[in-house]
């Protein structure tokens, strides 16, 4: 392996302690006997979501999302001049950089982007492009930079949501907001918004799979679809239906988040007033 | 005072925007704009010359890392995650482990950074942090050693290990002896911890060295490594899932950065704009006993002025140092004692 001269390097060969666990037997069943999942959720439950727009002061637009332990931050720069001549196009383009932080997964990630990260970057680009009015910024590009700070499943869906909120925060004109949802399919169950163990456990067996869908809720169109695993056609169609429902359920949250950020951005003075009134009122009472 | 507030789930970025008190027709980044403020001894964001920005610290937010901390210095945000891995100890120092700090300045944090290998600035900061860690003796690397190996007759420390080329799940441990000696202990494992300390800048608004070092220190304080034992029969390392062993840090180095403006004015904790306009910069790293661990002064500007300011004990300096002292105390208090998981407001 070539030595990385631009970073402080440790020893060449390192092993994760996870390979040396005392009891290395994985979880065999994802769903308990009473129908609940390992974290106590029902099959169709989405984990609690926290979103905030405008977290990076340097960026035109940015957003941060937490889906339980999954944490993703996204910053949007542009529209700005196309950097490489090959990328020139008369309509605008989206450029996505997707990276897992080195400590974000149970096993350490490398600094160099791997195949999965490049694939995810492409999927996010494709999921967002139909929603953005690309003709409004010809010959220029919008850079979307995404970091997964912690991956506890559904990282791709979280990234799509996060980047679409960041695009809105950057005031890039869009037809619709893109929401996304991940579904884990096992022979017996369909698990919405899977955690990391649910997403990765025995994924390569037959009739197991993961479906991630990007969805434009107000015009009711699918902008991207990623399906992994060996599944029957019927199951995939059913999964799509459930994913659509999931996306529709996330949409109001995104809406609320954007509403709040716009409010605080354009009317900070009024908010301060409200706050100071609130502060004064209890003292009077 | 340190007020400790708990944010059980919604926690990571406590974005308290600093209100910029600027209403000027002049370009915000221009020199003349700064000169106006210079007369009043105040900075564009309302701070005094020696004043630091509000600091927020959030410890133990990343569950996949062995230790983590997020630091916000005004707008500047650094997230440090520490992940421990196994490796063979260095050949020349078989009793030691590794600590590998790296600072990342991704294109996410500012428009000035591009996609690709680390920028020059990231390399400089990484190297500086590494130097500080080494020179301050932050951590005794011998405490990162797990199994040292056994000295056989002839005084030679012998170890054999076969390492699989691919690292795949279920890869069996082959650290240890392939051939057992006839007498003496059976296991000949040689194993050390490698602590990968990766600091990611999430928002670049100047003074990342200070923020990185606080993040690194707080994250290291937060580290819990799983217990490891070497199976005597197989020579194989066995670990538990949960971390239980904290690290012992031997000192608390805290960095303080200043920039020189107009060759006479010293600004503490510079923002990105101030860094861009300044003629010189200096970073002083001091440990809790007041000893200087490292001084970093890039560039030739202010080469005579700065050393005088920092290295001699004139009245002027002690005044500056006293200001610095209160800042350091504030940070030491947080990084000194055991830092439980949670969010802290340092002001």
């Amino acid at each position: 392996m070539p030595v990385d001269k631009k970073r402080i390097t440790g020893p060449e060969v390192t092993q994760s302690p996870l390979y040396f666990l005392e009891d290395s037997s994985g979880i065999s069943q994802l769903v308990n006997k009473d129908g609940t999942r390992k974290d106590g959720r029902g099959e169709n439950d989405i984990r609690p979501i926290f979103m905030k727009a405008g977290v990076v002061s340097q960026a035109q637009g940015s957003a941060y999302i937490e889906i339980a332990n999954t944490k993703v931050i996204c910053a949007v720069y542009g529209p700005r001049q196309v950097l490489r001549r090959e990328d020139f196009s008369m309509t605008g383009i989206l450029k996505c950089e997707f990276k897992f932080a080195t400590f974000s997964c149970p096993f350490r990630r490398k600094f160099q982007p791997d195949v999965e990260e490049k694939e995810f970057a492409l999927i996010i680009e494709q999921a967002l492009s139909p929603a953005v009015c690309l003709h409004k910024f010809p010959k220029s590009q919008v850079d979307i930079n995404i970091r997964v700070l912690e991956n506890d499943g559904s990282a791709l869906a979280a990234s799509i949501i996060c980047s679409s909120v960041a695009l809105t925060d950057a005031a890039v004109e869009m037809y619709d907001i893109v929401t996304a949802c991940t579904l884990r399919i096992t022979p017996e169950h369909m698990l919405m918004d899977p955690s990391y163990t649910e997403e990765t456990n025995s994924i390569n067996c037959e009739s197991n799979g993961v479906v991630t869908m990007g969805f434009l809720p107000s015009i009711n169109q699918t902008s991207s679809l990623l399906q992994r695993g060996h599944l029957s056609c019927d199951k995939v169609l059913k999964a799509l239906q459930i994913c659509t429902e999931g996306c529709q359920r996330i949409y109001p949250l995104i809406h609320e988040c954007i509403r709040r950020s716009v409010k605080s951005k354009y009317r900070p003075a009024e908010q301060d007033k409200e706050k100071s009134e609130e502060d004064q009122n209890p003292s009077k009472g | 005072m340190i007020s400790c507030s708990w944010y059980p789930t919604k926690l990571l970025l406590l974005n308290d925007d600093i209100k910029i008190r600027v209403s000027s027709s002049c370009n915000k980044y221009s020199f003349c704009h700064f000169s106006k403020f210079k007369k009043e001894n105040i900075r564009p964001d309302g701070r005094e010359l020696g004043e630091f920005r509000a600091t927020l610290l959030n410890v133990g937010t990343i569950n996949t890392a062995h230790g983590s901390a997020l630091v916000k210095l005004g707008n500047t945000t650094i997230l440090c995650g520490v992940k421990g891995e196994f490796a063979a100890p260095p050949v020349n120092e078989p009793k030691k482990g590794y600590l590998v700090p790296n600072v990342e300045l991704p294109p996410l944090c500012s428009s000035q950074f591009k996609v690709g290998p680390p920028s020059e600035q990231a390399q400089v900061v990484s190297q500086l942090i590494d130097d500080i860690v080494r020179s301050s003796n932050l951590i005794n690397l011998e405490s990162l050693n797990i199994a040292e190996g056994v000295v056989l007759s002839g005084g030679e420390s012998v170890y054999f290990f076969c390492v699989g080329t691919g690292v795949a799940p279920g890869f069996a441990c082959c650290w240890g002896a392939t051939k057992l000696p006839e007498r003496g202990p059976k296991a000949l494992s040689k194993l050390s911890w490698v602590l990968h300390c990766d600091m990611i800048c999430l928002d670049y608004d100047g003074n990342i060295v200070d923020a990185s070092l606080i993040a690194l220190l707080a994250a290291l304080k937060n580290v819990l490594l799983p217990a490891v034992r070497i199976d005597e029969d197989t020579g194989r390392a066995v670990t538990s899932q949960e971390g239980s062993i904290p690290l012992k840090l031997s000192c608390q180095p805290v960095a303080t950065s200043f920039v020189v403006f107009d060759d006479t004015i010293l600004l503490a904790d510079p923002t990105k704009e101030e860094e861009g306009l300044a003629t010189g910069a200096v970073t002083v790293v001091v440990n809790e006993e007041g000893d200087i661990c490292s001084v970093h002064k890039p560039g030739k500007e202010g080469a005579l002025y700065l050393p005088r300011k920092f290295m001699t004990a004139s009245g002027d300096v002690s005044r500056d140092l006293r200001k610095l002292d209160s800042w350091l105390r504030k940070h030491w208090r947080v990084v000194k004692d055991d830092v439980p998981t949670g969010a802290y407001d340092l002001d």
Side-chain angles (χ1 to χ4, degrees), chain B residues 106-179:
Chain B
L108 177 135
C109 69
S110 165
S111 54
Q112 74 188 78
F113 302 111
K114 299 279 168 284
V115 181
S119 60
E120 235 167 62
Q121 195 185 353
Q123 293 174 50
V124 169
V125 178
S126 295
Q127 189 60 50
L128 179 62
I129 299 280
D130 191 42
D131 286 346
I132 292 168
V133 167
R134 280 169 202 280
S135 65
S136 64
N137 250 329
L138 176 61
I139 189 163
N140 184 3
L141 289 179
E142 291 190 9
S143 67
L144 295 179
N145 190 275
I146 300 164
E148 194 191 302
V150 180
V151 180
L152 294 177
S153 57
E156 253 184 332
S157 183
V158 180
Y159 69 101
F160 308 90
F161 60 95
C162 9
V163 179
T165 43
V167 180
F171 170 76
C173 169
C174 295
W175 306 110
T178 49
K179 201 177 102 190

Side-chain angles (χ1 to χ4, degrees), chain B residues 50-52 256 258 266 268 286 290 309-310 312-330 332:
Chain B
E51 201 179 329
F52 294 85
T256 321
F258 299 89
L266 209 58
V286 188
K309 194 96 173 162
F310 285 104
T312 63
S314 70
D316 206 24
V317 176
S318 61
R319 202 181 64 224
D320 275 352
L321 278 179
R322 223 171 294 141
K323 272 184 200 159
L324 192 140
D325 203 43
S326 66
W327 147 263
L328 291 175
R329 249 172 240 289
K330 210 164 70 181
W332 277 327

Side-chain angles (χ1 to χ4, degrees), chain A residues 4-11 13-23 48-50 52-60 64 66 68-69 71 73-75 77 80 83 97 99 101-109 111 145-147 149-151 272, chain B residues 9-13 15 19 61-65 75 79 81 83-87 98 100-102 104 106-111 117-118 123 126-127 130 163 167-169 171 173 175 193-194 196 198 200 202-205 229 236-241 272:
Chain A
D4 190 348
K5 281 184 181 165
K6 299 194 167 177
R7 294 189 178 89
I8 313 285
T9 46
V13 185
T14 56
Q15 311 282 308
S16 169
L18 294 177
Y19 295 128
F20 303 94
L21 286 183
E22 214 147 8
D23 49 338
I49 297 179
F50 171 77
K52 186 165 181 178
V55 289
V56 180
S57 65
Q58 306 296 312
Q60 263 84 3
Y64 170 73
E66 273 180 28
N69 279 336
K71 301 180 179 78
I73 189 167
C74 171
Y77 292 89
R80 56 186 178 190
L83 288 177
E97 192 236 355
K99 189 91 190 68
T102 47
F103 46 77
S104 65
C105 300
F107 294 95
R108 186 170 185 268
R109 290 265 175 177
F111 285 110
N145 299 295
I146 303 166
R147 271 288 149 139
L149 303 176
E150 186 177 343
N151 179 12
D272 282 352
Chain B
T9 52
K10 315 285 176 282
L11 35 77
L12 196 57
L13 289 164
N15 195 0
K19 287 178 192 110
T61 46
I62 306 291
N63 303 306
T64 43
N75 279 333
L79 175 66
K83 224 160 164 49
E85 288 194 318
F86 293 151
Y98 306 82
V100 190
N102 267 302
E104 263 185 279
L108 177 135
C109 69
S110 165
S111 54
Q123 293 174 50
S126 295
Q127 189 60 50
D130 191 42
V163 179
V167 180
F171 170 76
C173 169
W175 306 110
W193 280 109
V194 189
H196 293 284
D198 297 317
I200 303 181
L202 301 178
D203 194 343
Y204 182 86
D205 194 19
R229 65 182 171 80
R236 196 193 136 106
V238 183
T239 68
S240 55
Q241 178 95 48
K272 189 180 161 197

Side-chain angles (χ1 to χ4, degrees), chain A residues 77-90:
Chain A
Y77 292 89
R80 56 186 178 190
Q81 198 186 348
V82 176
L83 288 177
R84 297 192 310 167
R85 195 193 264 187
E86 305 92 275
D87 291 339
F88 179 85
S89 96
M90 281 313 283

